[in-house]
C-alpha cells in the first residue's frame, strides 16, 4: 500500500494502553494508518526520518480567545511597559504614528497593574495624550478596560440618567467622575463603538493567530465565546471562521462556543425540546456538534462572574486587602437558571465561566439540575476556569461528570498576584491540579489566551511544578501532576472534555493524524518548558516545520510565539 506519509526513527508517545510507544507512524487520507510492523511493505509519498525526535498527540487548547488575540497582534503591547511613564510613552508614540489618520482608535492590550505598582493610568494624563481620539486599552484579564474621556462621551456615559449596565460598571473617582476603568459587561459600551468587525478583518486575525498556534504544537482549540456579548466580535463571526477554513487560513481545528447572548428564543413543536416546545438556540435548530472535524460548534459559553485579578470573581469570603468585597455574579441567579435551562433543553451543552467559589456553587447547581431534568447533551458540560474551588466542591463536580478547565498557564505569570488576593488560607484552592484528578474530575488544559500565553510546553511544566515567577509553589507541591497527567490535560483529557476523543487526544489507528513533534519527551524531560516544537501536523499535513527533509508548511519566520498578555 502507498501511504501519504511515514514518519520513522522517532519516539512516538501514543498515550494508548495497548501500544504506548512506537518508532514509526503512517498516514493515509489525514488519518493514522498504522505503526511499526503494521507498515511493513508500505511505501509513502513522503518518508521522513525523525532522527530521534518525539511525536505526541497534537496539543488541544480547550479554552482560548483566538480572534481577540489575533486582532490584538496589531495593537500596542502594553505588557512590555514597566511603570506608567513607559506606558504613557507607548501611547504618545502611537498618537504620533497615527498623526495622519484622524479619528483612528488607539488600541492596546495586555495591561497588568502588577507592572505599575498596582496603579492604573490616570484619566487626565490619558486625555492630554490622546485628545479627542478614542482609546481602548484591555487589561490582561480581559475583564477590565481603560479608556479616556472622549470615548466615554461617545459611549453616552455623561448623558443624563446614564446607569451602569447589568453585570458591569464604569468605575468612578471619589468625586463621582469616571476614572477611565470600565469593568465586566460595561465593556460593551466601548465595544459597541467598534463592533461588528468586518469578516475580512476577523479572517486576517484568525490567519495570524493560528499560524502562531502551529508554532507551539497546537492542532485544535476551542474558541470560548463567539457571536455575542462582550466576548464576541460579530453576529456573523462563524462565517469568518468558515471563510478562513475554506481559504486555508485556519491552521488548526476549531470548536466554537456561541456566547449565550447570541442565542434567541425558539418555538418548535410542543413535543420538541424535552416536551416544552420552546428554548433558546440558533436559527434552524443548529446545536453543538454541527460541523466537521475542521470546524464545529461546541457548548454555549456563559459568563457568571468576573476575574480574580479585578477582584470581581464571586467568592464567599472577602478578598485580602478588599474588606466587604466578595466580587459579584454578572446577573441574577434566577436569570442564569432560566436562560441556561432554555439553552440546555434546546440541545446545547453548557460551559459556565465560574472563577470564584460562589460562582462555582451556582454553576454546579445549574448543570446538575439540567442533567437531572433532561439528561446529557451531545458534548460534556463544563465549568471554565474553576479558579478558586473549595475542597467540599470537588465531589459534586466529579459525581456530575462535569469537565473543568483550570489554567496552569496562569501559575507562572499571575500566580503571585492570585495568592495575594486570597491569602494563605485559600491559596491551596487556586487553579487546582492533583486534587481534581484524585477526585475523578476531567481536567482539560487551556491557556485562556491572551490572558496567558499559549506556550503549551511551559504550561505542562507548570502543571508539574506549579512555580510562580517569585518561586512560590502555588497551593503546595501536593497539587502537582505527573508529567504524563500533565501531557494528558492538553491531549487525551482535552479531547474528552471537548467531545472529540473518538478522533483526537491519543494516537491510534484510524484517528486523525494530528501530531506535535518535540525535541525530547515531555514524560522524562527535566524541564518540559526547555523542549522545542520541531513540527506540527494537522491531518498529516505540516502546519509548522523545522525538521530536515520535510515540506516547510507555514514559513517559520512568520511565527513568533510571544503572546500579548
Amino acid at each position: 500500500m502507498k501511504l501519504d506519509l511515514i514518519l520513522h526513527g522517532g519516539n512516538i508517545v501514543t498515550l494508548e494502553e495497548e501500544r504506548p510507544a512506537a518508532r514509526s507512524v503512517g498516514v493515509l487520507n489525514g488519518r493514522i494508518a498504522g505503526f511499526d510492523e503494521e507498515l511493513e511493505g508500505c511505501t509513502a509519498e513522503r518518508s521522513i526520518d525523525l532522527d530521534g525526535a518525539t511525536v505526541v498527540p497534537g496539543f488541544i487548547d480547550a479554552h482560548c480567545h483566538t480572534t481577540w488575540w489575533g486582532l490584538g497582534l496589531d495593537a500596542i503591547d502594553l505588557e512590555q511597559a514597566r511603570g506608567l511613564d513607559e506606558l504613557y510613552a507607548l501611547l504618545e508614540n502611537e498618537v504620533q504614528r497615527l498623526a495622519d489618520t484622524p479619528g483612528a482608535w488607539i488600541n492596546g492590550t495586555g495591561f497588568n497593574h502588577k507592572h505599575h505598582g498596582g496603579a492604573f493610568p490616570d484619566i487626565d494624563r490619558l486625555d492630554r495624550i490622546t485628545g479627542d481620539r478614542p482609546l481602548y486599552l484591555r487589561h490582561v484579564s480581559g475583564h477590565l478596560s481603560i479608556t479616556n474621556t472622549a470615548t466615554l462621551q461617545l459611549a453616552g456615559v455623561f448623558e443624563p440618567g446614564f446607569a451602569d449596565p447589568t453585570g458591569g460598571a464604569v468605575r468612578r473617582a471619589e468625586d463621582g467622575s469616571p476614572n477611565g476603568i470600565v469593568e465586566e459587561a460595561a465593556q460593551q459600551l466601548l465595544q459597541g463603538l467598534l463592533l461588528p468587525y468586518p469578516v475580512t478583518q476577523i479572517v486576517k486575525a484568525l490567519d495570524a493567530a493560528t499560524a502562531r498556534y502551529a508554532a507551539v504544537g497546537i492542532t485544535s482549540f476551542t474558541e470560548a465565546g463567539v457571536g455575542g456579548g462582550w466576548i464576541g466580535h460579530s453576529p456573523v463571526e462563524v462565517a469568518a471562521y468558515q471563510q478562513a477554513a475554506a481559504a486555508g487560513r485556519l491552521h488548526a481545528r476549531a470548536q466554537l462556543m456561541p456566547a449565550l447572548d447570541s442565542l434567541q428564543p425558539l418555538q418548535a413543536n410542543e413535543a420538541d425540546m424535552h416536551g416544552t416546545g420552546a428554548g433558546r438556540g440558533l436559527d434552524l435548530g443548529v446545536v453543538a456538534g454541527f460541523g466537521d472535524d475542521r470546524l464545529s460548534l461546541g457548548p454555549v459559553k456563559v459568563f457568571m462572574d468576573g476575574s480574580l485579578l479585578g477582584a470581581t470573581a464571586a467568592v464567599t469570603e472577602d478578598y485580602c486587602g478588599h474588606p466587604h468585597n466578595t466580587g459579584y455574579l454578572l446577573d441574577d441567579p434566577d436569570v442564569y437558571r432560566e436562560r441556561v435551562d432554555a439553552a440546555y433543553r434546546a440541545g446545547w451543552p453548557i460551559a459556565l465561566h465560574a472563577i470564584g467559589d460562589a460562582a462555582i456553587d451556582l454553576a454546579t447547581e445549574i448543570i446538575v439540575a439540567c442533567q437531572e431534568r433532561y439528561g446529557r447533551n451531545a458534548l460534556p458540560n463544563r465549568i471554565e476556569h474553576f479558579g478558586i474551588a473549595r475542597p467540599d466542591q470537588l465531589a459534586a463536580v466529579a459525581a456530575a461528570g462535569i469537565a473543568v478547565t483550570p489554567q496552569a498557564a496562569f501559575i507562572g505569570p499571575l500566580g503571585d498576584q492570585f495568592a495575594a488576593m486570597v491569602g494563605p488560607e485559600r491559596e491551596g484552592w487556586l487553579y487546582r491540579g492533583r486534587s481534581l484528578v484524585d477526585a475523578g474530575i476531567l481536567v482539560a488544559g487551556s491557556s485562556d489566551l491572551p490572558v496567558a500565553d499559549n506556550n503549551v510546553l511551559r504550561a505542562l511544566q507548570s502543571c508539574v511544578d506549579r512555580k510562580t515567577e517569585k518561586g512560590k509553589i502555588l497551593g503546595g507541591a501536593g497539587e502537582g501532576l505527573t508529567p504524563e497527567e500533565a501531557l494528558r490535560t492538553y491531549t487525551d483529557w482535552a479531547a474528552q472534555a471537548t467531545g472529540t476523543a473518538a478522533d483526537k487526544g491519543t494516537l491510534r489507528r484510524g484517528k486523525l493524524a494530528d501530531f506535535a513533534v518535540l525535541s525530547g519527551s515531555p514524560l522524562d524531560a527535566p524541564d518540559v518548558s526547555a523542549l522545542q516544537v520541531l513540527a506540527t501536523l494537522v491531518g498529516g499535513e505540516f502546519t509548522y516545520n523545522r525538521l530536515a527533509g520535510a515540506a516547510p508548511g507555514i514559513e517559520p519566520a512568520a511565527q513568533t510565539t510571544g503572546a500579548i498578555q
Side-chain angles (χ1 to χ4, degrees), residues 112-165:
N112 191 332
H113 50 288
K114 78 173 183 179
H115 298 316
H116 309 281
F120 284 77
D122 176 72
I123 190 170
D124 292 332
R125 181 71 179 272
L126 294 177
D127 288 345
R128 290 197 296 272
I129 293 171
T130 60
D132 60 0
R133 285 184 180 274
L135 174 71
Y136 184 31
L137 308 180
R138 299 196 76 163
H139 190 269
V140 64
S141 68
H143 290 258
L144 298 174
S145 297
I146 301 160
T147 191
N148 59 6
T149 298
T151 312
L152 293 172
Q153 288 175 334
L154 291 172
V157 171
F158 297 101
E159 295 295 322
F162 171 82
D164 286 334

Side-chain angles (χ1 to χ4, degrees), residues 258-515:
L260 182 63
D261 289 346
S262 69
L263 306 188
Q264 59 190 6
L266 294 179
Q267 289 292 140
N269 186 279
E270 62 183 13
D272 296 326
M273 302 187 192
H274 295 275
T276 67
R280 296 186 71 89
L282 299 178
D283 287 339
L284 305 178
V286 172
V287 294
F290 185 81
D292 56 26
D293 57 35
R294 275 282 177 173
L295 178 62
S296 64
L297 295 178
V300 167
K301 171 69 180 296
V302 183
F303 280 103
M304 299 193 72
D305 68 343
S307 73
L308 182 48
L309 291 184
T312 54
V315 293
T316 53
E317 301 177 33
D318 290 355
Y319 288 104
C320 294
H322 299 264
H324 311 298
N325 178 16
T326 55
Y328 55 88
L329 296 171
L330 302 186
D331 212 329
D332 183 89
D334 285 338
V335 172
Y336 283 119
R337 293 184 182 104
E338 186 281 324
R339 295 185 74 198
V340 173
D341 185 278
Y344 195 87
R345 68 176 181 262
W348 288 97
I350 45 180
L352 305 180
H353 167 114
I355 291 180
D357 62 321
I360 290 172
D361 281 334
L362 181 59
T364 305
E365 173 209 315
I366 289 174
I367 292 174
V368 169
C370 286
Q371 291 182 169
E372 288 179 348
R373 289 190 195 104
Y374 311 119
R376 302 294 178 93
N377 284 326
L379 306 177
N381 296 308
R382 299 169 37 163
I383 296 179
E384 306 305 297
H385 308 301
F386 210 71
I388 312 170
R390 301 189 312 271
D392 64 283
Q393 293 178 310
L394 306 190
V397 171
I402 300 169
V404 302
T405 61
Q407 285 74 34
F410 288 179
I411 294 173
L414 305 175
D416 294 305
Q417 287 177 278
F418 291 165
M421 292 294 291
V422 301
E425 292 184 358
R426 288 180 287 174
E427 184 189 314
W429 303 0
L430 290 167
Y431 293 90
R432 293 171 175 271
R434 165 61 47 208
S435 55
L436 299 181
V437 174
D438 287 350
I441 297 172
L442 182 60
V443 180
S446 70
S447 65
D448 200 21
L449 182 78
V451 180
D453 68 38
N454 63 355
N455 183 329
V456 177
L457 297 175
R458 184 182 68 78
L460 297 183
Q461 184 63 34
S462 289
C463 285
V464 174
D465 66 29
R466 297 183 63 83
K467 286 184 181 179
T468 70
E469 283 182 348
K470 294 182 179 179
K472 177 188 286 289
I473 308 300
L474 192 68
E479 281 294 333
L481 301 181
T482 68
E484 181 178 325
E485 289 168 338
L487 179 59
R488 287 186 186 275
T489 66
Y490 270 90
T491 54
D492 180 15
W493 299 346
Q496 293 181 48
T498 56
T500 59
D503 286 322
K504 295 187 283 192
T506 64
L507 302 182
R508 186 175 70 229
R509 188 174 183 177
K511 283 196 171 187
L512 293 167
D514 293 357
F515 310 134

Side-chain angles (χ1 to χ4, degrees), residues 1-8 25-28 39 41-48:
M1 177 183 292
K2 189 169 187 178
L3 305 179
D4 298 322
L5 173 69
I6 293 177
L7 300 176
H8 60 89
V25 58
V27 177
L28 180 65
L39 304 178
C42 293
T43 59
E45 290 286 344
R46 295 173 295 167
S47 183
I48 297 172

Side-chain angles (χ1 to χ4, degrees), residues 210-251:
T210 58
R212 288 162 172 80
Y213 286 12
V216 293
I218 292 172
T219 56
S220 295
F221 65 96
T222 296
E223 178 80 332
V226 299
W230 61 266
I231 200 65
H233 297 88
S234 168
V236 294
E237 200 162 352
V238 174
Y241 271 87
Q242 289 181 305
Q243 288 191 22
R249 301 179 70 183
L250 189 66
H251 310 294

